[in-house]
Amino acid sequence: MRLPRILRTTPFRLTLLFLALFASAASAFLAYIYVATAGEATRRTDQEIRREMRSLTDVYYRAGVDAVNQSLIERAASERPFLYLLMDPKGQRVSGSIEESPVEAFKGEPTWATFQVTDVDVQGRETKHPARGLQQRLTGGEILFVGADVGADEAYVGKIVNALWGAVVLVVILGLAGGVLVSRNVSRSMASLTDVVDRVRNGELGARAHVRGARDEFDELAQGVNDMLDRLERSMAGHKHAGDAIAHDLRSPLTRLRARLEAAFLDVEAGKGDPRQALAQALEDTDGVLKTFGAVLSIARLQAAGQAPDPVIFDPAELGADIAELYEPLCEDKDIDFDAEFAKDLTVRGNREFLAQALANILDNAVKYTPAGGAIMLRVRRRSSGEVEFSVTDTGPGVPETDRERVIQRFVRLENSRNEPGAGLGLSLVAAVAEAHGGRLELDEGPGKVGDMGPGLRVALILPRA
């Protein structure tokens, strides 16, 4: 027979385990209470019996056996809770409240005995009570027994134990009820998460777990699952967008490549063209397509991840020096004055390769659009806000203020750059790198119009401080 689902849940099983541990501990505790209480009652009764025995022996030593006999008669007639018996040296009863001694095989040494006494209630029914007593021989040979009824003490101990057992049973019942209630609540919370997992497994990436607002571990789990699903959905959307973007963005360059190859083929067929030149041009166009593909893929990766992959903490001045060492010879070949300034004791956290690529793209544009005789300045510094800034300032034609937001979009090229090689992806990649690092890209006017040059452009890649 299969148990109900709620009885098979982990919380209910844990409840049973804790109840079993509690019942074991409670049983041990009750056993200790019983032994301690019963032992204390027995010790108290024994002390009272010894005290009564000393009182009677004192009477015996002062006034003899007749005085003891008289005292027993008086005490037995009173309301004292003791049982008395005085016997002669041969063991024959002389006086007392009981007829015979409960001590068997008495050898003269003080001896304790536990026995039953019979009592008659108001309705004439006989009842038996447990009793305990001490018997010892007096100096004249007489035997004296003093006992006490311990039934009331044992009944009191029994009431305490019964009350504790009742409390244990009540706690067990309440514990089971609480276990069922907790199991139902846990099952409901887990059922909600299981439902979300099933929906996501079936392709519904927009499913989200319900956050109850209790701020407990279930809310934390639900929030964690929701965050994970948000990242998964963004990643899937980013990959889909990357595929769509690559297919869309490479369509035009591939179409141009095919048109050039077809034109070259027709020229060669007509005996007008040079096959080697056509192949060289095809290789150049292919390299351009591959470069465009790599740039689009890098942008898509950054946008899909939402953050820079494999970030490390490093000195941005070292990165700036490496890039400056690479581009200074290019500027000299084009007769461009190149200079660099690097602040010390700076740190940034990010992907060094992506940041190097972004900085290289900015310098590529600066070298491409700055005419001979111009100047380029590379700076790495700390802003007053604590942010770290990579900036490249040139004396080229610059970008009008109205076009500065549009120029960082993919495949956007201004009129003054139509004759320059490129696909219009350089600043798009820089903007994606800045966003992935939690930073931003700023475009401003350069040093201004100087002669036939200017107004120039200042491109700043700004990153948060580490």
Side-chain angles (χ1 to χ4, degrees), residues 117-121 123-129:
V117 294
T118 302
D119 192 12
V120 179
D121 59 16
Q123 297 179 355
R125 293 176 300 183
E126 292 186 353
T127 58
K128 291 188 176 182
H129 303 281

Side-chain angles (χ1 to χ4, degrees), residues 437-453:
H437 286 79
R440 62 189 183 277
L441 180 65
E442 292 183 356
L443 275 65
D444 298 305
E445 187 175 296
K449 193 80 172 175
V450 179
D452 294 334
M453 297 185 185

Side-chain angles (χ1 to χ4, degrees), residues 382-393:
R382 187 196 305 275
R383 287 189 153 199
S384 59
S385 61
E387 298 170 308
V388 175
E389 175 188 279
F390 297 90
S391 66
V392 176
T393 305

